[in-house]
Amino acid sequence: MYDLAVIGFGATGVSLLRQLHSHIYEQDMGPVSVALISPADSFSSGLAFGQAESFHKVNTPPELMGIEPEDPKGFASWLRQRTGKEERYPARLTYSQYLKEVYDSMSLGKSDRLCIKECRATAVDIDTSSGSPVVILDGGDEVHARRVVLALGTVTSPTFSANTGLQPILPSSICSISAPEVALVAGTGLTAVDCVRSLVKKGCQSIHWFSRSGYVPTVISRQVKYEPVAFTWGKIKSELNKRERGERLSRIVSLLRREVAYMRNPEILKADELRTKGDLSGYWDYLIERADKSDLPFQDTLSSTRYFAHKIWLKLSEEECIEFQKSFGAFWACWRHPIPMEVVEELNVYVKEGRLQLHRPVAPIKIKGGKYILENSRQKICADVLIDGTGGVSDVRDVKSPLIRNLLVRGLAMAHPCGGLKVDGLTYGLKSKLSNSGIYCLGPLAKGSLFSTNAFWFNSLCASSLAHYLAIEIRLSSCEEACRQ
């Protein structure tokens, strides 16, 4: 029986293993046995990084992408050693190589205290009826472990129902299709941006991206200069502690509005005016100019929440979390997660050339005569293909993953209304009908509970806490077993 099984071995899984590895050596523990369960195409790199195209970039500075909190600049140092230069937003494939090298430093034959079993397969079920988790693989093999960590990355359900007859193309499949003359891209977030760039590389001359919210990405400032006055963690924490659950979200919104009033010239006002008018090129021209001068006080304010946004989330009631997603989710994603300036400049060129247009549809997408039809308030657009760049729907009750479906059916997991599975914010244990299933969860699958899981630095921080907790458990279990013998 393994001490630990990790299901899904991408960036978060590598981070967890690296930090558990550190605890094992620091505390003179071992040997500790770990089974790593992941399909071969994403093993030690993950889909987000390892399956990206060569021109897809990370959206976070390398200084925040170290594999462990104790060494936050680890990736930046590795990058300088490999390239001999500073690169603000390197390719995702470069980061996948970093992850593989970190794993190689711990893998079989290079560690005398960490015994690793690689299972390059897909987990389809977990059975806890025997008292300890038994992971069932797609080939029928079983992995017995005392505890299991789910680090599956982003798991979503389809955006478009199969009942509509639509057959959207997933982002990972764009590289394998012929260049369409006209393409529709659903979504305007980070995934959709990658889809647009991939289509242009394929030679598509007419791309129409759309979203119900109408929000589009903002631009990362060259430098953070504005320091919040009212919207600080100290004042936010004070407000949260004075209010009961159910009364806290409104106070947070009030503090943010008060902060905007302190700003000399908040960029959000004119930018939102240009966006609402449908002037996408003007919107990006304006934000690029402000970003180049490091004059984005509203963005700076939201960026300042990086290290405490998840703490606010944990203080809200479930109803407030749902209300935030409904009323502010698209707005937050737009302004809190900007993209590199060079990427926006590239997209803006396509807009000026007429190759890229933004729409807010007034009716569901239809298919007629083999063409996809998008209707806005002024026209109908006919396209050859529909690309699903939304990232999928966060309701795990409709996911195709047999593992997630079986966990829900067995009562080993509960769906969170804001996406993913319900996870204990302190232990990262799956909330279930059982008191202690021995199953934990990290990464985007815990988004509804932990909020900030779209940022790798946060997942690394959570992995650090869980690795510490697991190291204590493993050592105590070893001591108890030794005493029994």
Side-chain angles (χ1 to χ4, degrees), residues 367-373 383-385:
I367 186 168
K368 186 176 181 181
K371 297 286 186 178
Y372 291 93
I373 312 297
D384 306 299
V385 297

Side-chain angles (χ1 to χ4, degrees), residues 58-63 79 86-90 220-222 342:
V58 300
N59 293 303
T60 305
E63 292 77 12
L79 192 62
E86 300 283 346
E87 192 171 0
R88 192 61 177 162
Y89 300 102
I220 297 177
S221 182
R222 291 206 182 277
E342 55 264 38

Side-chain angles (χ1 to χ4, degrees), residues 281-462:
S281 183
Y283 169 84
W284 275 335
D285 282 339
Y286 174 69
L287 287 176
I288 289 170
E289 181 182 2
R290 295 284 298 258
D292 198 42
K293 298 176 181 177
S294 300
D295 184 22
L296 296 174
F298 187 77
Q299 181 188 117
D300 290 351
T301 296
L302 292 195
S303 294
S304 72
T305 68
R306 174 180 285 120
Y307 299 110
F308 59 80
H310 61 286
K311 294 179 179 290
I312 297 176
W313 190 255
L314 290 172
K315 293 286 281 184
L316 301 180
S317 67
E318 194 168 275
E319 292 73 22
E320 286 178 300
C321 291
I322 295 171
E323 176 58 30
F324 175 87
Q325 275 203 331
K326 178 182 176 182
S327 301
F328 305 106
F331 172 84
W332 177 268
C334 167
W335 285 96
R336 175 60 191 88
H337 303 292
I339 62 178
M341 188 182 298
E342 55 264 38
V343 175
V344 175
E345 289 174 332
E346 177 188 327
L347 295 174
N348 205 15
V349 169
Y350 305 147
V351 174
K352 294 178 188 295
E353 292 175 345
R355 298 179 70 180
L356 176 62
Q357 296 181 47
L358 175 67
H359 306 278
R360 293 186 72 175
V362 295
I365 302 299
K366 301 179 180 66
I367 186 168
K368 186 176 181 181
K371 297 286 186 178
Y372 291 93
I373 312 297
L374 180 150
E375 295 181 58
N376 61 25
S377 58
R378 296 175 287 105
Q379 62 182 139
K380 290 184 179 180
I381 292 98
C382 296
D384 306 299
V385 297
L386 170 64
I387 311 292
D388 185 359
T390 62
V393 179
S394 59
D395 191 342
V396 295
R397 291 172 295 186
D398 296 324
V399 300
K400 294 180 179 179
S401 166
L403 175 61
I404 301 301
R405 287 180 174 273
N406 285 327
L407 287 175
L408 293 171
V409 169
R410 287 181 182 275
L412 294 173
M414 301 164 61
H416 195 290
C418 293
L421 302 176
K422 289 188 176 182
V423 175
D424 187 290
L426 189 61
T427 67
Y428 307 105
L430 275 188
K431 291 186 177 181
S432 68
K433 296 178 182 178
L434 302 180
S435 57
N436 183 14
S437 65
I439 305 174
Y440 304 85
C441 185
L442 291 172
L445 190 55
K447 181 175 178 59
S449 297
L450 304 179
F451 186 64
S452 297
T453 57
N454 59 322
F456 177 68
W457 71 265
F458 178 75
N459 293 328
S460 175
L461 185 66
C462 294

